[in-house]
Amino acid sequence: MNSDNPASASTAKGAAVTELAAPRATRLATPRWLDTRLVLGVLLVLFAVVAGARVFAAADHYSRVYVARHDLVPGERLTAGDVGVGRVRLNGEGSLYIAAGRPPVGYVVTRYVGAHEFVPVGALAATPSGDAATRLVSVPVTPGHLPPSLARGTLVDIYMTPKTGAGVMAAAPTLVLSNVPVDMREGGSRTFGGEATLVVVVSVPADRVADVVHAVESGTIDLVAVPAAAAASLRGSS
């Protein structure tokens, strides 16, 4: 029998040892968590690119328009120092404001524009024409008949109280003109009678100058400031 043959037994034993020492090779599989991290990394890069593109595109939507450096009063002619340049996102309203470029030097202000406001196209004209023309009128006012905070650009109503003789009851004041912008306020002076007066220069429509001058000669002038909220509403609707 083969079991009694030492050589055969040795050969069989060697074959068995050889088979045990050479296991079958297996292919290494890539861990699935590596695939997930790769996908997340790609998505993050894409998100950053898209976000950067949107920010860049939004920045391009800003327009450069002229801004009033100070209050602009109807009737005055603009100089280079009256306007600056600002950046704003207009959202389709670019035609309403004057785009930065050649400064509108020499143009006439036709309606009030507050300091630091964007200059509307409708607030300037190459030359005053018709009823839009204004004149600067000096109005003498005694202390106590005008607001202490009165300054350039303030909108005021002009009232006149007729002169009366001694012992006669004062007449009721009448409204001469409303929503008149102040161009300048000068310091006080004294008349020959010792009465202190202030001079306030107001911008008046050309066809109403005679009314204001007549009021100055006919009685006492009071300047009543238009409240800020009402003034802002008037400026926005003009």
Side-chain angles (χ1 to χ4, degrees):
M1 298 294 294
N2 291 337
S3 58
D4 295 335
N5 188 339
S8 297
S10 176
T11 300
K13 184 178 181 181
V17 171
T18 301
E19 290 178 359
L20 292 175
R24 180 178 298 177
T26 57
R27 180 177 297 177
L28 295 178
T30 303
R32 297 185 61 84
W33 61 270
L34 286 179
D35 294 339
T36 304
R37 292 184 60 181
L38 179 61
V39 172
L40 289 177
V42 172
L43 291 177
L44 288 175
V45 171
L46 290 176
F47 176 79
V49 171
V50 172
R54 290 177 63 88
V55 171
F56 182 78
D60 287 345
H61 291 166
Y62 283 91
S63 302
R64 299 173 72 249
V65 298
Y66 282 111
V67 181
R69 294 185 183 274
H70 54 77
D71 295 329
L72 303 179
V73 179
E76 70 172 301
R77 288 187 178 272
L78 287 185
T79 65
D82 292 328
V83 293
V85 177
R87 297 177 68 250
V88 62
R89 186 180 298 174
L90 295 174
N91 294 329
E93 299 179 349
S95 61
L96 300 180
Y97 301 95
I98 299 178
R102 183 178 179 181
V105 174
Y107 279 71
V108 177
V109 179
T110 58
R111 72 171 180 82
Y112 177 86
V113 180
H116 312 302
E117 289 184 12
F118 299 117
V119 181
V121 172
L124 301 181
T127 56
S129 60
D131 294 338
T134 58
R135 300 292 185 268
L136 299 178
V137 181
S138 296
V139 178
V141 186
T142 57
H145 292 265
L146 76 169
S149 60
L150 197 68
R152 177 185 174 90
T154 303
L155 294 183
V156 297
D157 295 337
I158 302 177
Y159 284 85
M160 186 272 293
T161 303
K163 297 176 182 178
T164 57
V168 179
M169 181 179 296
T174 58
L175 176 64
V176 180
L177 198 57
S178 60
N179 305 318
V180 180
V182 173
D183 180 78
M184 182 174 57
R185 172 180 174 174
E186 297 180 355
S189 61
R190 289 188 176 274
T191 65
F192 288 108
E195 184 180 25
T197 60
L198 301 172
V199 176
V200 178
V201 180
V202 292
S203 179
V204 178
D207 59 346
R208 299 298 305 275
V209 171
D211 296 335
V212 176
V213 174
H214 182 265
V216 170
E217 298 297 329
S218 302
T220 302
I221 297 296
D222 282 87
L223 299 182
V224 180
V226 178
S233 177
L234 289 170
R235 291 161 186 163
S237 61
S238 60

